Every structure is written in C-alpha cells, then in structure tokens.
Amino acid sequence: MRKKNIDYKKLYTEMIFEKYPQKASACGTILKKKEFTVMDVIRLNKIISSGKAQNINQKYKSYDRTAIFEILEYQKKHRLNNVATARHFNISRNTLGNWKKQFLI
C-alpha cells in the first residue's frame, strides 16, 4: 500500500480563503512558503482557531522528529520550563517531559 502525502499548502490555502477570509492576511507569510512543516500547520491552526475551544482536536495531533526538536529548541532558547512550553504549544507537560527523556538524555 502506497503512503499518500497530504498537500497541506493547498488544503490550508483553500480552507482559509473559503471559510476564514478575514484571517488570510495573518496567515499570508506561512502560506507563501514553498513547503510546510508540522510547525507551520500548528501555527496556522492557532491563527484559525483563535478564540475557539482548541482542546476538541487535541488528541489528533501528531509531531514528527523535526517538530519535536523545534519545540525543545524553542524551550531552550526562551529559557522556559515545561509548564510554560506546554502552554505555549498546547501540549501536555508529560508529553514534553517524555520527549526530553527520549531525545535529550
């Protein structure tokens, strides 16, 4: 069975211009990128869902190794503890702790 790659750029561009045209300017810099990363998708979701309950789809999030290292690097760069980093990225403190154990030790 062949793995299908999702074209997130096309998906989010269409969704923003059809359902959220008022947020198109806020998403413009991300949508201009040639390729999307997991972090770009997270940023777009944050912009789109601002003011809405974000915990509904929380269990469907997944992160690749690049995104995990980007989150851990953000924490280190800004000198944040696990609680502050978890709040910023809307993830569990336990998840963040597990990533640190798995990838940094």
Side-chain angles (χ1 to χ4, degrees):
M1 181 176 244
R2 195 172 142 231
K3 184 177 178 182
K4 295 181 182 181
N5 291 333
I6 299 171
D7 187 0
Y8 286 106
K9 181 175 183 170
K10 183 179 178 183
L11 178 75
Y12 275 94
T13 303
E14 289 175 3
M15 182 173 59
I16 289 168
F17 285 107
E18 288 178 17
K19 293 186 176 186
Y20 308 100
Q22 69 277 11
K23 297 186 180 189
S25 61
C27 301
T29 55
I30 299 172
L31 292 175
K32 288 179 184 176
K33 287 182 152 184
K34 190 172 183 174
E35 290 186 19
F36 276 18
T37 63
V38 173
M39 295 305 294
D40 293 329
V41 173
I42 292 170
R43 286 184 194 106
L44 284 173
N45 278 330
K46 201 172 203 176
I47 293 169
I48 290 170
S49 65
S50 63
K52 296 180 181 177
Q54 294 181 351
N55 291 335
I56 296 169
N57 292 327
Q58 183 67 20
K59 65 181 177 181
Y60 299 115
K61 282 187 178 181
S62 69
Y63 299 91
D64 63 354
R65 189 175 282 255
T66 308
I68 292 170
F69 285 122
E70 210 171 309
I71 291 169
L72 294 175
E73 185 63 33
Y74 180 89
Q75 181 183 25
K76 185 177 177 183
K77 179 181 174 186
H78 295 282
R79 296 181 176 186
L80 299 174
N81 59 18
N82 284 357
V83 175
T85 307
R87 281 188 189 141
H88 180 77
F89 290 102
N90 197 22
I91 56 177
S92 165
R93 294 175 296 132
N94 291 331
T95 300
L96 193 59
N98 288 338
W99 288 346
K100 289 173 86 172
K101 285 178 190 173
Q102 185 177 0
F103 295 112
L104 298 181
I105 294 177

